[in-house]
Amino acid sequence: MSLPKHTISPAHGAPATKRAKQPTVDIDIPSQLKGTSFKFKARPNQDGGFQAWLFDVIVTAFPTAKGEKDEIIMDVQVKHKKKKKFDSAKFMAAFMEGGEALDNLYEDDEDEDEDDISRSHHEDDDYDEFDEEEEEDDISDAMGSVFARIVHRHKIRSTFWRDMEEPSQDTSALAFAIFDRYGCLRPEFIRGSSKGSGTFGNELDKGSFLQVEVIRVKEDHRRRGLASTLLKVLLDQVVKIEDDFLTFSFVFPAFLNREIPDNLPEDKKNKLADEKLAAAVGLYRKAGFRRVGDSVWFAYAFDDSHPSRSVAINDDYNHPDLPVPKTPLQTLEKKLQRQRTIFEHGLLTIDVSDKFRGYPDEVAKELLTLRAINNPTNTQLQCAKFGCTCGDCLSGYLSPRMRVLIKTVCEYENDQDMYDEDMWSQPGQPKGQVDDKLDSWMCAPSWEVLPASVKPYMKSNKSVRKGHRLLFGHIIRCLDQGLVPTVANIADSVDNEGEWPPDCRNFLQRAGAAGIQSVLRFAIETSREKDLKAGGGIDEIMDYEQRKAKEEKLKAEGKDPAEGEDKFAWIMRNHAYEDGSYEWDLMKKEKECRNDSEFGMLLGMLTGKAFEMDEYYK
């Protein structure tokens, strides 16, 4: 979250215990609400944890004090600490020296930042923990309020469902209703049977979003447009404290059950409930919200040029008076999709996607029968068993895009022949003495996951090191031959090659099947880090596109594009995108599939150790 300084209280440099005057914003409100002011308050939510990915926003309406003008009081409360400036020259010097120099640099950083519990995606973030000693506002005279949450989705991509499940039923409901496990709009709302009017698409995958949870207006202040004004103040002001990453707002229009009297006959209760629901939907549609597919959720685009902003209220999708019956195929597919992804226990919803190992054979055959495929091939049976939607998954579960990503990772590792060098034969160094360079090489990511039994040989045996590297080439060979790179297939590839010298055999003699599993695990975990969804590539692309637009604007004005930013950091941020875009461009050329980005399932299928993914990404 990027906050302009004029909207922050206390001001920069002011002690946390000393209150600075709250900044205000002039407001133009309807004539019937003259004499009303608003307080906009934002704070980090504790459920955001150390990453501070979740922020609570409350807008309260109250009578303007006598003699004062109507205004919006901006109360974005944070503590400020002087942060250590990133010294790129010092970092690069330590990086090149390696060993203790780099360790000492990290230790210094940890000592200085041990009390700073918040780290954000952008370098100019100033968020730290919210002042817990602050007393809650006295809202006894409040006329109404709206409560919402800002979700910084880029910080929780790989654990989106898990993190969204925790704060409230509302955040959990939104996450599981229309998004997949990585916070991307589910395909059926884009081009499937649930697309509704088709107003929204993949653009809902990008950026942070605002979730409106509840609007409350006291009985004696209703019918004056206060709810609409509260919502307008929220939407207008939240974009001023957020950065360009805030793209959409979501809401599930509803009403409080207590507003329906218990003593009414059932038919009148239903009629009143329908009226109140229609009023709630009308409120949000008037503000610019439009229905997402055929779901109960509505979205508001902060970008005025988004197609949804030009859809008339009467043209927005409405549920038919009588539900359209689902076909047996649609019913079964929906049921299986739910079983594959989530487990519900009371109010708790758990993501179980990584545990999926395919549907039972009889269920796969039933699916194919409903699809009018009566004499399926083995490939069709496998695709039905694992939910493949592209028809080209190897063994039904390894999709084309996943193959491209894994192959590029393996190609890079297979080319790292610097590890083949004789690390013992350094001038003036006795054999058996391990230096800092050797220690740093042993910390290579692909070596950290190796079985303990083979690590000593990696230090002392050049052939073993080379054999480990060449195993990545055998993964590539399996993929090129249309084979899933299982432990057995990789071992067969080694046996059939007849290599000399027998480097891979030397490695496998010491590491066994566990050595192949470690290579597969590294390839899959690294692929996950580079993935568009699981690895946050979507957010990298959006960030890059926005920065490039700003860069072009600065260039047109004759300014330095890196002005105000550490030069090294500016170069590296651009390089990070350009480096990742190679894989992303290759992936986009392949067919999309339901099995894309299912790295946990793939790791389990190939190594039987899917649950290690949870430990790896904590």
Side-chain angles (χ1 to χ4, degrees):
M1 178 178 280
S2 178
L3 298 173
K5 292 182 181 180
H6 69 274
T7 67
I8 297 177
S9 175
H12 281 271
T17 56
K18 183 178 180 180
R19 294 284 172 176
K21 183 178 179 181
Q22 303 287 13
T24 61
V25 178
D26 292 336
I27 182 174
D28 182 19
I29 62 175
S31 58
Q32 67 270 25
L33 288 176
K34 292 298 182 182
T36 304
S37 289
F38 299 84
K39 184 171 185 178
F40 181 102
K41 182 176 180 179
R43 64 180 184 272
N45 183 291
Q46 291 181 350
D47 287 315
F50 291 96
Q51 292 296 321
W53 61 269
L54 185 68
F55 288 78
D56 294 341
V57 181
I58 303 173
V59 180
T60 307
F62 58 93
T64 304
K66 188 175 181 180
E68 299 289 336
K69 65 177 182 179
D70 296 344
E71 61 188 3
I72 302 173
I73 300 174
M74 300 300 293
D75 181 11
V76 181
Q77 308 260 349
V78 292
K79 286 183 179 178
H80 291 281
K81 295 179 182 178
K82 185 177 180 181
K83 291 190 176 182
K84 179 182 176 183
K85 181 177 176 61
F86 176 71
D87 189 336
S88 59
K90 184 178 179 182
F91 173 82
M92 286 303 296
F95 180 80
M96 295 302 292
E97 186 176 347
E100 292 184 2
L102 194 56
D103 292 338
N104 292 337
L105 179 65
Y106 289 147
E107 288 172 4
D108 292 342
D109 290 344
E110 290 171 2
D111 292 341
E112 294 194 22
D113 294 335
E114 62 181 357
D115 294 326
D116 186 1
I117 70 163
S118 177
R119 284 292 179 271
S120 190
H121 180 69
H122 300 291
E123 293 181 357
D124 58 349
D125 286 353
D126 278 325
Y127 265 93
D128 286 320
E129 95 183 280
F130 186 71
D131 187 355
E132 295 178 357
E133 297 179 359
E134 176 194 4
E135 295 183 2
E136 290 296 322
D137 296 329
D138 182 7
I139 59 172
S140 59
D141 61 344
M143 302 158 60
S145 63
V146 55
F147 175 71
R149 300 179 192 267
I150 298 170
V151 176
H152 286 183
R153 179 167 36 183
H154 56 277
K155 296 180 181 177
I156 57 170
R157 275 289 179 193
S158 62
T159 54
F160 180 78
W161 273 355
R162 186 185 71 188
D163 288 325
M164 287 288 287
E165 199 278 335
E166 294 176 2
S168 72
Q169 284 183 258
D170 297 275
T171 56
S172 178
L174 172 62
F176 288 98
I178 62 174
F179 292 115
D180 67 15
R181 62 185 303 195
Y182 299 119
C184 297
L185 186 64
R186 298 215 310 261
E188 62 264 33
F189 295 114
I190 301 175
R191 53 186 172 272
S193 58
S194 299
K195 71 176 183 178
S197 59
T199 305
F200 297 100
N202 292 119
E203 70 277 5
L204 289 189
D205 302 350
K206 303 175 182 178
S208 303
F209 61 82
L210 177 77
Q211 181 175 355
V212 182
E213 291 204 1
V214 63
I215 297 180
R216 293 189 179 93
V217 177
K218 289 186 176 179
E219 190 71 37
D220 52 347
H221 293 290
R222 296 180 181 178
R223 308 293 186 269
R224 298 171 56 202
L226 183 55
S228 296
T229 306
L230 280 165
L231 186 57
K232 184 178 187 303
V233 170
L234 171 68
L235 298 175
D236 287 350
Q237 299 306 316
V238 75
V239 294
K240 296 179 182 179
I241 69 164
E242 264 288 327
D243 56 19
D244 295 334
F245 259 57
L246 187 66
T247 51
F248 291 91
S249 178
F250 297 96
V251 69
F252 173 20
F255 58 90
L256 298 176
N257 288 331
R258 65 172 177 263
E259 296 181 0
I260 307 294
D262 290 333
N263 58 355
L264 288 179
E266 196 64 29
D267 58 337
K268 291 188 177 181
K269 280 185 179 182
N270 293 336
K271 182 180 179 181
L272 183 57
D274 291 341
E275 291 173 355
K276 288 189 173 293
L277 181 58
V281 170
L283 167 70
Y284 290 105
R285 277 181 168 157
K286 183 180 177 182
F289 286 79
R290 296 295 180 263
R291 192 183 296 276
V292 179
D294 68 349
S295 74
V296 296
W297 290 88
F298 289 70
Y300 171 87
F302 286 102
D303 181 1
D304 294 341
S305 64
H306 188 272
S308 65
R309 298 294 291 273
S310 60
V311 175
I313 291 177
N314 292 335
D315 293 334
D316 194 23
Y317 180 83
N318 282 311
H319 290 141
D321 294 334
L322 295 176
V324 178
K326 300 287 186 181
T327 66
L329 175 60
Q330 291 173 332
T331 302
L332 181 58
E333 287 177 335
K334 184 175 181 179
K335 176 184 176 182
L336 294 176
Q337 176 64 23
R338 196 168 185 84
Q339 288 179 352
R340 170 177 181 167
T341 54
I342 64 173
F343 172 75
E344 293 176 291
H345 180 71
L347 297 177
L348 182 65
T349 307
I350 303 172
D351 177 11
V352 295
S353 303
D354 291 346
K355 298 181 181 181
F356 182 64
R357 297 295 179 272
Y359 305 122
D361 291 342
E362 58 271 19
V363 173
K365 292 176 181 177
E366 182 181 357
L367 271 173
L368 292 170
T369 300
L370 291 173
R371 293 171 183 167
I373 302 175
N374 297 317
N375 296 302
T377 63
N378 185 54
T379 298
Q380 290 173 324
L381 278 170
Q382 289 179 324
C383 288
K385 181 178 179 67
F386 290 98
C388 166
T389 57
C390 70
D392 288 336
C393 284
L394 294 182
S395 295
Y397 59 85
L398 182 50
S399 71
R401 291 191 173 190
M402 297 274 274
R403 299 201 293 271
V404 165
L405 202 50
I406 292 172
K407 187 174 178 179
T408 56
V409 168
C410 290
E411 285 173 345
Y412 175 82
E413 291 298 320
N414 190 51
D415 290 339
Q416 297 302 299
D417 56 0
M418 66 177 183
Y419 295 130
D420 298 346
E421 297 177 12
D422 190 349
M423 292 184 286
W424 296 104
S425 59
Q426 298 184 24
Q429 182 177 355
K431 188 172 182 179
Q433 179 180 339
V434 180
D435 67 349
D436 290 340
K437 184 179 180 182
L438 175 58
D439 283 339
S440 66
W441 281 16
M442 282 303 299
C443 291
S446 61
W447 289 19
E448 287 183 342
V449 296
L450 285 171
S453 61
V454 77
K455 286 187 177 181
Y457 297 99
M458 294 290 285
K459 290 183 178 181
S460 60
N461 192 313
K462 178 179 178 180
S463 178
V464 171
R465 289 194 301 275
K466 186 175 181 181
H468 168 257
R469 174 176 65 82
L470 294 178
L471 276 183
F472 289 97
H474 286 284
I475 294 178
I476 298 171
R477 176 177 294 184
C478 287
L479 293 173
D480 287 343
Q481 293 176 354
L483 298 174
V484 174
T486 61
V487 172
N489 285 340
I490 293 173
D492 287 344
S493 177
V494 173
D495 290 338
N496 295 333
E497 185 181 25
E499 63 174 355
W500 188 263
D503 299 314
C504 286
R505 287 190 178 88
N506 287 339
F507 173 81
L508 293 179
Q509 283 176 359
R510 293 159 177 82
I516 299 179
Q517 289 178 339
S518 69
V519 170
L520 284 169
R521 175 187 169 188
F522 172 79
I524 293 170
E525 288 172 347
T526 305
S527 298
R528 174 170 172 153
E529 292 176 358
K530 294 176 175 289
D531 187 57
L532 278 166
K533 289 185 177 182
I538 292 171
D539 306 302
E540 289 289 343
I541 292 172
M542 181 178 180
D543 182 52
Y544 176 80
E545 290 173 347
Q546 289 176 347
R547 284 188 289 106
K548 289 298 288 184
K550 291 177 182 178
E551 177 185 329
E552 294 301 323
K553 182 179 179 182
L554 288 171
K555 284 182 178 179
E557 296 172 355
K559 298 178 181 178
D560 181 1
E563 183 179 356
E565 184 174 12
D566 182 280
K567 299 275 187 179
F568 175 77
W570 183 82
I571 292 171
M572 291 305 293
R573 289 174 69 184
N574 281 281
H575 177 70
Y577 166 80
E578 291 165 0
D579 183 54
S581 65
Y582 170 71
E583 287 91 354
W584 301 332
D585 289 343
L586 289 176
M587 289 173 63
K588 289 176 182 178
K589 294 177 182 178
E590 302 293 339
K591 294 180 182 178
E592 278 190 85
C593 183
R594 169 63 185 83
N595 291 329
D596 290 341
S597 305
E598 292 295 348
F599 295 94
M601 177 189 73
L602 181 61
L603 186 62
M605 293 296 297
L606 298 186
T607 71
K609 299 181 179 180
F611 304 116
E612 292 185 10
M613 295 290 288
D614 296 334
E615 297 298 322
Y616 185 79
Y617 286 100
K618 275 184 179 179

